[in-house]
Amino acid sequence: AHPWSGANEFFQTCSTKYLAVGGGGNFALCLDADLLHCTSGPCRTFQGLENRSLSSSPSFTTDGVELWALHALSSKPRSSTLG
C-alpha cells in the first residue's frame, strides 16, 4: 500500500470513459470503460509513486477487476419504493 503523500487530493475520479486513482502528473492507475485496458504512471498523490508506476509497463490489461461500494450508515430506514 502507498500512503497519501499530502501533495494533492486527487484520490479518485471517473467518467463514462475511465476510472482512475491518484493524480498530479499521471494517474497511479487508470482503467478504461471496459475495465480491461489500464495505464499507470508516476503520481504525486501517493508516497513511493512520485517517480515510478505501479506496473513495469505503462499500458497493460487486467485479468479481472473487483470493485467495492461503500455506503454511509443512516439511522433512517431507506424506502424501496419511489415517490
Side-chain angles (χ1 to χ4, degrees):
H2 296 276
W4 179 39
S5 68
N8 60 46
E9 295 182 359
F10 303 148
F11 298 112
Q12 60 187 6
T13 185
C14 66
S15 76
T16 57
K17 297 182 180 190
Y18 65 86
L19 170 65
V21 178
N26 298 287
F27 294 126
L29 180 65
C30 183
L31 292 92
D32 284 352
D34 62 9
L35 300 180
L36 178 65
H37 299 93
C38 306
T39 59
S40 179
C43 157
R44 291 189 293 272
T45 306
F46 303 106
Q47 291 177 16
L49 296 180
E50 297 90 341
N51 299 309
R52 69 176 195 88
S53 66
L54 290 169
S55 69
S56 58
S57 173
S59 296
F60 56 96
T61 57
T62 62
D63 290 332
V65 176
E66 182 174 341
L67 299 174
W68 291 56
L70 303 175
H71 299 276
L73 295 176
S74 174
S75 59
K76 290 182 168 182
R78 294 174 61 183
S79 173
S80 61
T81 60
L82 298 175

